[in-house]
Amino acid sequence: PDEPVLLAELKPGRPQRYDWKSSCETWSVAFSPDGAWFAWSQGHCVVKLIPWPLGEAELNCKTSERKSRGGKAEARSRGGAKEKTLECGQIVWGLAFSTWPAAEEGDTDPTCAVGLPCLVLATGLNDGQIKVWEVQTGHLLFNLLGHQDVVRDLSFAPNGSPILVSASRDKTLRVWDLSRDGRQVQVLSGHVQWVYCCSISPDCSMLCSAAGEKSALLWSMRSYTLIRRLEGHQSSVVSCDFSPDSALLVTASYDACVIMWDPYTGEQLRTLRHVPLHSTLDYSSEIHTSSLRSVCFSPEGLYLATVADDRLLRIWALELRSPVAFAPMTNGLCCMYFPQGGFIATGTRDGHVQFWTAPRVLSSLKHLCRKALRTFLTTYQVLALPIPRKLKEFLTYRTF
């Protein structure tokens, strides 16, 4: 595939405040499930809600500054959607979108118009609060209290249920039910360091959490109990993501490696090592130069994207051990694929967000069949099928 091309770069409209050093980072970016909105934590306690796709002018000029206007909806409108500014009052670390179920006739206090599902955005804040906003109006729906420290990451159940999981520096994960007025339904304890990342599997059966530890934890989303520890990294695990069919789990670590796991068996399937790719790049001799920050699966499940401290965005094909494409970027902190593919958004330490082209691929019929089967069959169920061994190996990603 071609190397990623920078399509656009958005920059905050506020100057950096040097008396508050940790206020300007873009710790999180997120696309809504339908791809109609992009959320950008642009630093300075501000989240921008931007209708997608970007305007032609922004895509052509590559860079654009966004002024923050104190919570008012921006005048720019495209297809009826207006850009919005959410003033969160605290540094924003985590972002997550979800579709709110449609209100029914007879609801005394429907969040949305009767019969129409609406979109919500959860923001994890520096003081432990989680604020949940209604995207179309910019109204604050909930203020969830319980965490004692920074809420570093958020994950909604992908099936559209109003279950939200939060990961915090207070070393816990918490499960919230927005259909019950944001009630806290579970506290998951097991980490001994700050929790950096949480990811719910697309089939909603499992939850993975990564903290400043060498192991990641895998939890049941049905019983909220610990299934197993995934041990194999040599340094802190900081990011994790499930494949679209829930059959694979990837974890990224400061040890400069991504490990691909079978979450059902706990088996390590392969390791992707981040090594210098180009002799002309100015690599320092520091041991953490390739420390990973973020990893995410592409929507069809054939590629991975990683962001590391060696100033590179890498694209990996599932069946290869070396990157198939990479692009230079500075101070990357997070990455996320567009839900329909073709684009990757990355956030940087200086509050910028960049949009890159990503390989567009036509999935093979073999992969589509595997993905369809693995969406509802566990590894153990596949191994029990009366089919040839080679087919079992393919379906369980033991052959690439």
Side-chain angles (χ1 to χ4, degrees), residues 186-204:
Q186 196 74 34
V187 178
L188 305 181
S189 302
H191 287 291
V192 296
Q193 300 290 340
W194 294 351
V195 191
Y196 288 112
C197 182
C198 58
S199 179
I200 301 175
S201 62
D203 67 2
C204 298

Side-chain angles (χ1 to χ4, degrees), residues 156-161 163 200-207 219-222 224 246 375:
F156 274 104
N159 62 359
S161 73
I163 297 298
I200 301 175
S201 62
D203 67 2
C204 298
S205 68
M206 295 171 284
L207 166 72
W219 309 82
S220 166
M221 280 296 289
R222 298 186 175 97
Y224 298 124
S246 305
T375 298

Side-chain angles (χ1 to χ4, degrees), residues 93-387:
W93 293 78
L95 296 172
F97 279 104
S98 183
T99 303
W100 190 278
E104 297 178 1
E105 292 286 354
D107 282 0
T108 54
D109 185 24
T111 307
C112 314
V114 171
L116 293 176
C118 67
L119 192 64
V120 297
L121 176 73
T123 54
L125 307 182
N126 198 64
D127 63 353
Q129 294 184 75
I130 302 166
K131 292 187 176 181
V132 183
W133 311 79
E134 205 273 294
V135 170
Q136 292 293 340
T137 62
H139 292 155
L140 181 65
L141 298 177
F142 298 108
N143 193 7
L144 309 179
L145 304 176
H147 281 298
Q148 306 300 309
D149 207 336
V150 171
V151 177
R152 185 65 184 83
D153 197 25
L154 296 162
S155 182
F156 274 104
N159 62 359
S161 73
I163 297 298
L164 173 67
V165 175
S166 54
S168 171
R169 282 187 182 175
D170 67 11
K171 305 175 187 176
T172 69
L173 298 119
R174 292 172 193 252
V175 184
W176 314 82
D177 187 346
L178 300 191
S179 68
R180 299 163 71 183
D181 294 323
R183 178 179 172 183
Q184 180 179 291
V185 295
Q186 196 74 34
V187 178
L188 305 181
S189 302
H191 287 291
V192 296
Q193 300 290 340
W194 294 351
V195 191
Y196 288 112
C197 182
C198 58
S199 179
I200 301 175
S201 62
D203 67 2
C204 298
S205 68
M206 295 171 284
L207 166 72
C208 183
S209 58
E213 304 158 12
K214 295 179 182 178
S215 58
L217 300 188
L218 196 64
W219 309 82
S220 166
M221 280 296 289
R222 298 186 175 97
S223 62
Y224 298 124
T225 55
L226 183 65
I227 298 172
R228 66 169 53 87
R229 290 181 178 270
L230 300 172
E231 299 181 338
H233 284 289
Q234 303 304 308
S235 188
S236 300
V237 185
V238 295
S239 183
C240 56
D241 195 25
F242 284 93
S243 62
D245 59 5
S246 305
L248 296 173
L249 170 68
V250 287
T251 54
S253 166
Y254 286 159
D255 65 8
C257 291
V258 168
I259 296 180
M260 195 180 298
W261 310 81
D262 184 322
Y264 295 103
T265 66
E267 182 181 346
Q268 291 185 40
L269 300 181
R270 65 176 42 203
T271 300
L272 307 178
R273 303 183 189 281
H274 287 61
V275 296
L277 296 179
H278 205 293
S279 59
T280 60
L281 291 174
D282 177 26
Y283 287 95
S284 70
S285 59
E286 295 178 24
I287 192 167
H288 295 303
T289 189
S290 292
S291 292
L292 281 157
R293 293 287 169 179
S294 186
V295 61
C296 61
F297 264 100
S298 63
E300 82 294 320
L302 287 172
Y303 290 97
L304 295 171
T306 58
V307 170
D309 282 350
D310 61 2
R311 297 171 299 200
L312 287 174
L313 166 67
R314 288 174 172 83
I315 309 293
W316 308 75
L318 205 60
E319 70 276 7
L320 301 176
R321 294 180 187 270
S322 299
V324 295
F326 63 98
M329 62 172 298
T330 304
N331 295 328
L333 290 176
C334 58
C335 60
M336 186 179 192
Y337 269 91
F338 182 62
Q340 280 76 52
F343 303 101
I344 297 171
T346 57
T348 72
R349 194 171 286 280
D350 48 14
H352 299 191
V353 63
Q354 299 166 323
F355 299 98
W356 306 84
T357 58
R360 285 190 179 275
V361 61
L362 189 63
S363 297
S364 68
L365 186 57
K366 278 171 53 177
H367 175 67
L368 289 173
C369 291
R370 173 172 61 185
K371 187 176 168 186
L373 284 169
R374 291 311 310 272
T375 298
F376 65 89
L377 289 179
T378 69
T379 300
Y380 296 113
Q381 288 171 326
V382 170
L383 295 176
L385 293 174
I387 57 177

